[in-house]
Amino acid sequence: MADRPLHFSTRAVSVGRPPAQPDAPLNTPVVLASTYGSFGELEYGRYANPTWTAFEDALGDLEGGRCIAFASGMAAVSAVLDLVPTGGTVVAARHSYTGTIGRLRELEERGLVRPVLVDVTDAAAMVEAARGAALVWLESPTNPALELADIATIVRGAHAVDALVAVDNTFATPLLQRPLEHGADLVVHAVTKGLAGHSDLLMGAVVTATEELAARVTGSRTLGGAVPSAFEAFLALRGLRTLPVRLERAQATAQRLVTRLQGHPGVRETRYPGFGAIVSVVLADAEAADALVHGVRLWRAATSLGGVESTLERRRRWAAEAPTIPEGLVRLSVGLEDPEDLWDDLEQALPSA
């Protein structure tokens, strides 16, 4: 084993554990402490926590960088946007998560950033827009359009004009895509979703390959106070341990469903990037999409995703969703139920044509 690196599935299980010692716990315990004895490395609960550190070690190892955990995915997004100087330009994928776009708009209203939204599938347009920008924000696959970015090309172009590049890797996870290997400066996760995988916590994370950026992001967390709870970090690490098997199963089911959805007469368009557990279908209109959402019995109507249970949502029910997303688009998050049960439920609720 010393002659080759461990596989990702092994690392997801093994990294971030305490040293192997007689009678030592196999898992880092939940450390419930706000105050530590002085003159050590911890000092205070807003600076660090051993339970966070175990999670950060594991996710950082999988992404290939230094991980900083946050109280939520939006806290992680905000910490990255804090890197942009006042009045700086942020080039972002136009179909990024609505919370990210909303945060950019809120900062724009306060005169703090200038967002420029671009079709992320057009790498040349992204690179051109990056001229004079402080940050390029990519999401790949995008939520909910499931568009893919040419990360390496955009990173090269952005770096040529001295712009940082951040990639929201929530949908792909580090098991399917590692943006730091393509030169990205920062990776952002809504840990709430697939990484934790059980719809029972809120957490986010930023991973970066440079100590300078890690220090700045950590400083934003410390001063802003958006720290995760020790218990949620414990749960998130427990979820991360099973990510390889959960993702393998959910992805295989998603691919089976995609094959059937593509041939269904009531589905105008099926969007799937070829990997992962998220699928989007476009039906004739909002009425047909709503009928699907309300007609299923096993699938659960919910706005979050990435859990062991399968969920779906018509995204344009939210006023903040981009107007370029079709009214009839329904995003499916495929869970761990039997594929045939999931298909039977979808089929009985889909329109016949």
Side-chain angles (χ1 to χ4, degrees), residues 74 77-78 81 96-105 315 320:
M74 280 308 303
V77 170
S78 295
L81 295 179
S96 297
Y97 169 56
T98 54
T100 302
I101 298 299
R103 181 65 171 146
L104 284 169
R105 294 300 190 200
R315 286 299 300 170

Side-chain angles (χ1 to χ4, degrees), residues 34-292:
S34 62
T35 309
Y36 305 91
S38 293
F39 313 119
E41 296 181 357
L42 300 177
E43 292 277 356
Y44 186 56
R46 190 160 40 84
Y47 305 156
N49 178 287
T51 317
W52 306 348
T53 300
F55 172 82
E56 290 170 337
D57 287 346
L59 181 55
D61 180 85
L62 293 177
E63 282 286 9
R66 167 86 179 280
C67 175
I68 303 96
F70 284 85
S72 68
M74 280 308 303
V77 170
S78 295
V80 172
L81 295 179
D82 280 348
L83 299 172
V84 178
T86 301
T89 297
V90 178
V91 176
R94 65 173 178 161
H95 289 151
S96 297
Y97 169 56
T98 54
T100 302
I101 298 299
R103 181 65 171 146
L104 284 169
R105 294 300 190 200
E106 187 261 342
L107 292 172
E108 181 184 30
E109 290 172 1
R110 294 160 55 195
L112 298 178
V113 303
R114 187 179 77 89
V116 176
L117 304 183
V118 181
D119 179 355
V120 79
T121 66
D122 189 339
M126 292 290 295
V127 170
E128 180 61 29
R131 297 181 184 278
L135 175 69
V136 174
W137 183 279
L138 303 180
E139 197 173 285
S140 185
T142 55
N143 177 12
L146 297 182
E147 302 151 322
L148 293 177
D150 184 343
I151 295 174
T153 296
I154 295 171
V155 166
R156 285 194 299 270
H159 285 175
V161 293
D162 298 322
L164 293 173
V165 179
V167 181
D168 186 330
N169 204 32
T170 298
F171 277 16
T173 83
L175 297 189
L176 300 177
Q177 174 177 273
R178 288 173 289 281
L180 296 181
E181 294 180 357
H182 297 289
D185 301 289
L186 303 124
V187 173
V188 177
H189 283 282
V191 177
T192 306
K193 310 298 195 296
L195 293 184
H198 291 77
S199 305
D200 56 6
L201 63 92
L202 284 177
M203 232 175 97
V206 177
V207 187
T208 179
T210 75
E211 286 302 316
E212 186 266 339
L213 284 174
R216 292 172 66 186
V217 172
T218 301
S220 179
R221 179 183 70 180
T222 300
L223 294 176
V227 297
S229 79
F231 185 62
E232 289 185 302
F234 176 86
L235 289 177
L237 180 55
R238 186 171 69 169
L240 187 64
R241 300 300 190 203
T242 63
L243 175 63
V245 291
R246 287 189 290 106
L247 184 57
E248 181 179 18
R249 169 61 181 265
Q251 178 175 257
T253 299
Q255 291 169 347
R256 287 177 64 174
L257 294 178
V258 164
T259 299
R260 298 180 184 184
L261 288 165
Q262 288 173 331
H264 194 282
V267 177
R268 297 284 181 90
E269 181 185 359
T270 303
R271 300 186 182 188
Y272 184 65
F275 59 86
I278 309 299
V279 181
S280 287
V281 293
V282 180
L283 305 188
D285 50 31
E287 182 179 2
D290 285 337
L292 170 62

Side-chain angles (χ1 to χ4, degrees), residues 285-298:
D285 50 31
E287 182 179 2
D290 285 337
L292 170 62
V293 170
H294 292 289
V296 291
R297 304 184 185 96
L298 181 60

